[in-house]
Amino acid sequence: MGTNVPSDEELAASLEGGFTSEYAEVNGVRLHYVTGGQGEPLFLLPGWPETWWEYRKVMPVLAERFRVVAVDIRGMGGSSRPGSGYEKKSMAADIRALAEHLGHERINIAGHGIGAMVAFAYAANHEAATHRLAIINTTHIDDSYQNFRLMPKPEDTPPHRWWLAFNIVPGFPEQALAGRYRIMVDYMLGLSLVNPDAVLPADRDVYAQAYDTPEAIRASQGWFQAYQQDIDDFRGYNTLSMPVLGLAYGGFYDYMNRVLPTCGSDVRVVEVKNTRNYMVEEQPETVAAELTAFFG
């Protein structure tokens, strides 16, 4: 990993739209966020193993219509790493407290990966405070996750999600990956990028640095270690009443198109072509256009 990774302040300033890097003490956690633009508030929550920087290609476009707030969720990047609170319901409460801190009673919210689960939990637990919800390539965890095989059969649809089990093992991942997290970043991106150049080495360095310490790795594990509680919480959620947009690719589009409409009364799922999991970085024009049309 390179040693000259820009700071969040420098990264924010590099984007068009007057973005600034900020911090807020809310709900017992220090959250880092990058904000810019004018209009209705649109919160963007990233996935693993990334940070708010995942949205760098779409933020300037979205800032033309919205007050964009890209957040490092609890345990990620510039945000603090407490020893608990990684249930998605609790992390959604972080975002609710941040929205109130910024003076937003009702927000639009979008998330990818772990961030999508937090965004869904936000809408489910703070319905009156949610205008619209967009879910990118990840549905909220449910009982189906417990059916993933430790040893895949030849007919199983790839990928083999070994990292789910890896990240719930206590004590080992930080020993294996501290100081060398770029290996994990490159593996995950390599697994799901159609075009590897969609995430350049300098961007990968940003992500690797954010996860490279034992403390950061333990915090990121917390998102996975809370999955059983997340499943239990999900069972108790009511059908979402606000408009919901799902963006997904290929085979996962088929899955999302079956599952997401069962979670809400006003759901539309859109297939994004020529990409896989990291579509925000690989197909930013399509993602920005879909989000602008949906939230606008």
Side-chain angles (χ1 to χ4, degrees):
M1 189 188 71
T3 57
N4 298 316
V5 177
S7 66
D8 283 318
E9 291 75 12
E10 291 169 325
L11 292 172
S14 73
L15 301 178
E16 293 184 9
F19 286 97
T20 57
S21 174
E22 310 286 349
Y23 296 87
E25 300 279 349
V26 293
N27 201 37
V29 67
R30 185 176 192 243
L31 291 184
H32 170 255
Y33 62 97
V34 173
T35 186
Q38 299 294 330
E40 288 191 15
L42 171 55
F43 280 57
L44 305 174
L45 309 185
W48 170 84
E50 299 169 293
T51 69
W52 72 269
W53 189 239
E54 170 185 357
Y55 291 99
R56 66 194 175 279
K57 297 180 184 179
V58 301
M59 288 167 67
V61 178
L62 296 174
E64 295 175 6
R65 296 278 295 275
F66 307 100
R67 180 64 177 177
V68 174
V69 184
V71 187
D72 280 336
I73 54 179
R74 176 184 293 241
M76 175 185 282
S79 294
S80 60
R81 307 180 179 103
S84 61
Y86 295 101
E87 304 81 16
K88 308 312 167 289
K89 184 176 182 178
S90 298
M91 295 172 72
D94 294 343
I95 305 304
R96 179 71 194 121
L98 177 61
E100 290 179 328
H101 172 79
L102 297 177
H104 304 310
E105 183 56 37
R106 198 163 178 241
I107 66 171
N108 297 300
I109 188 166
H112 164 239
I114 295 291
M117 296 184 191
V118 178
F120 187 99
Y122 182 97
N125 289 283
H126 308 283
E127 187 173 3
T130 310
H131 184 50
R132 287 171 176 255
L133 166 70
I135 297 294
I136 301 171
N137 263 343
T138 308
T139 52
H140 192 287
I141 186 171
D142 57 23
D143 296 279
S144 69
Y145 274 57
Q146 295 172 326
N147 297 326
F148 294 142
R149 302 181 199 272
L150 182 62
M151 179 73 74
K153 292 185 176 181
E155 66 270 20
D156 287 348
T157 302
H160 172 218
R161 295 171 175 83
W162 60 269
W163 58 87
L164 299 178
F166 178 80
N167 273 304
I168 65 173
V169 176
F172 178 70
E174 63 265 36
Q175 295 182 56
L177 288 172
R180 56 180 75 91
Y181 210 86
R182 177 66 184 267
I183 295 170
M184 180 65 90
V185 170
D186 284 342
Y187 178 87
M188 296 305 297
L189 292 173
L191 188 67
S192 282
L193 283 176
V194 174
N195 172 21
D197 291 334
V199 185
L200 297 173
D203 304 313
R204 295 167 186 239
D205 284 347
V206 170
Y207 300 144
Q209 178 168 278
Y211 290 88
D212 220 25
T213 66
E215 295 76 21
I217 296 169
R218 278 196 293 271
S220 67
Q221 283 186 268
W223 306 327
F224 299 90
Q225 292 167 349
Y227 271 178
Q228 184 56 57
Q229 184 60 53
D230 296 332
I231 293 171
D232 293 343
D233 290 337
F234 178 74
R235 292 194 192 107
Y237 291 155
N238 294 324
T239 301
L240 301 179
S241 62
M242 76 289 298
V244 179
L245 172 68
L247 299 179
Y249 72 94
F252 193 76
Y253 164 78
D254 297 332
Y255 173 81
M256 184 184 277
N257 206 24
R258 290 197 310 272
V259 172
L260 197 58
T262 68
C263 300
S265 58
D266 182 3
V267 178
R268 186 170 67 93
V269 181
V270 174
E271 182 177 7
V272 180
K273 305 281 190 177
N274 300 315
T275 189
R276 290 195 284 269
N277 187 41
Y278 300 103
M279 68 170 61
V280 178
E281 293 169 287
E282 195 160 43
Q283 295 294 340
E285 295 86 359
T286 300
V287 171
E290 291 289 349
L291 294 183
T292 298
F294 175 66
F295 289 118

